[in-house]
Amino acid sequence: MGMEQTTRQPGRSRLAARLAGAILLAVTAGIHLDLYLTGYNNIPTIGWLFLLQVIVAFALALAVVFLPGPLAPAAGAGFAISTLGGYLLTLWVGLFGFHEVRSTAGTVAGVIEIAAFGLLAWVALTSLPDAAASVSGSVRSEEHTSELQSHHDL
């Protein structure tokens, strides 16, 4: 019984992190949608990039929830950290002639993107096939081959 609880726990933690990461992606999409609707839609190039961010973040949130395996969480993590990078780039040096100013919405979105990155990167990494199992499998195969060779030599 103790073993069953041990094997179930990582799956539950991963599912909770997957759902939380998807929610965080949706929240950052909501923040960007609000910013788009309240003025960013009038900024050349940046406006449609905000709209694109909203669409992709919502699509990735759905993918993280409904697609098994590490690909969707990895894409969500990469997207979250890229969105943060875009914000920092516009804040520090500007992008497409636009310089962002520090704002509460930017700070909140940044913190959410960092959290989404951390959770989704963890989900993606823990969803990968266990490398140790494949290594031990190849060791067993080598032992078996060696054993067969020694029987053959007799």
Side-chain angles (χ1 to χ4, degrees):
M1 181 163 164
M3 185 61 152
E4 285 178 29
Q5 288 177 339
T6 305
T7 56
R8 283 188 203 160
Q9 197 63 348
R12 284 186 183 169
S13 297
R14 193 176 312 126
L15 177 61
R18 184 180 282 267
L19 293 174
I23 289 167
L24 291 171
L25 285 174
V27 169
T28 189
I31 291 170
H32 282 83
L33 179 60
D34 179 62
L35 291 170
Y36 176 80
L37 294 173
T38 58
Y40 279 69
N41 59 338
N42 295 319
I43 302 169
T45 308
I46 297 295
W48 67 264
L49 287 174
F50 263 65
L51 187 57
L52 183 62
Q53 195 280 350
V54 170
I55 294 165
V56 173
F58 277 129
L60 283 172
L62 290 172
V64 165
V65 171
F66 293 110
L67 297 178
L71 186 58
F79 182 76
I81 205 70
S82 297
T83 301
L84 177 62
Y87 171 68
L88 294 175
L89 187 63
T90 61
L91 190 64
W92 294 336
V93 296
L95 185 63
F96 304 115
F98 175 74
H99 285 270
E100 182 66 79
V101 294
R102 235 176 263 264
S103 67
T104 302
T107 302
V108 170
V111 169
I112 291 169
E113 288 153 359
I114 291 168
F117 170 75
L119 282 170
L120 293 172
W122 179 81
V123 170
L125 291 172
T126 59
S127 296
L128 292 172
D130 188 14
S134 65
V135 169
S136 68
S138 66
V139 168
R140 277 190 223 119
S141 175
E142 289 172 12
E143 289 172 354
H144 181 69
T145 304
S146 169
E147 187 178 305
L148 288 175
Q149 184 65 32
S150 66
H151 287 297
H152 182 277
D153 291 340
L154 294 175

